[in-house]
Amino acid sequence: MIEHSIDAVLSPKGRINRLAWWIGILATVAAGLIGTALMNADAFDESTNAVPHAPTMAAFLWAALAAYVATVLTLKRLDDAGRPKWLGILFGAAATFLLAGWGIGAFSDPFAPPATLATMWGLVLMMTPALVEAAHRPSRAHPRA
């Protein structure tokens, strides 16, 4: 099992089982959404010259941390399931582009304009194979030392 919690969420090395992945992903998504919503409040508004519909810097950094942790957990889970690392790299790349688009205000409304809509949901679809593989595959047997 996971011996050092901070290494489990910040270091892409190692393996985690399916239960630990589910707990970690659900906790990361919940913390990411709640923290981003709290830090994107008007109380955190940095200036009157900020880009309209773009998140505050605090919300962006919190979401970036959550995306990094989700990518690390997914990479570890894919390693544990014996799946290729490129699925985890694809997940991380799509998460990075989603985060960047949201950071500049492009994905503030996911249901309008058509080009932005297609780009955002295309990136979400790029993340899906890694999530499906991580959630579905059983763990490989651990080599005995």
Side-chain angles (χ1 to χ4, degrees):
M1 195 64 179
I2 300 170
E3 295 163 30
H4 303 289
S5 296
I6 198 75
D7 285 343
V9 296
L10 295 179
S11 173
K13 296 178 182 176
R15 296 167 53 171
I16 58 172
N17 62 29
R18 194 177 355 189
L19 178 62
W21 179 80
W22 271 111
I23 291 169
I25 284 293
L26 292 175
T28 300
V29 168
L33 291 174
I34 291 168
T36 300
L38 291 174
M39 291 180 201
N40 217 16
D42 291 336
F44 280 87
D45 192 17
E46 287 125 4
S47 75
T48 56
N49 298 323
V51 176
H53 307 293
T56 62
M57 184 59 73
F60 180 81
L61 291 174
W62 187 259
L65 178 63
Y68 177 76
V69 169
T71 301
V72 165
L73 290 172
T74 302
L75 279 168
K76 285 182 172 201
R77 176 67 195 125
L78 291 171
D79 182 41
D80 188 60
R83 304 309 298 159
K85 275 200 175 208
W86 66 265
L87 284 172
I89 294 169
L90 182 66
F91 177 89
T96 301
F97 283 113
L98 273 172
L99 188 65
W102 177 67
I104 62 170
F107 302 140
S108 60
D109 184 8
F111 301 106
T116 303
L117 176 73
T119 302
M120 187 193 81
W121 290 111
L123 289 168
V124 169
L125 285 175
M126 286 174 59
M127 296 170 73
T128 304
L131 292 173
V132 169
E133 288 292 325
H136 173 18
R137 298 283 179 183
S139 297
R140 291 184 294 150
H142 289 272
R144 303 243 188 253

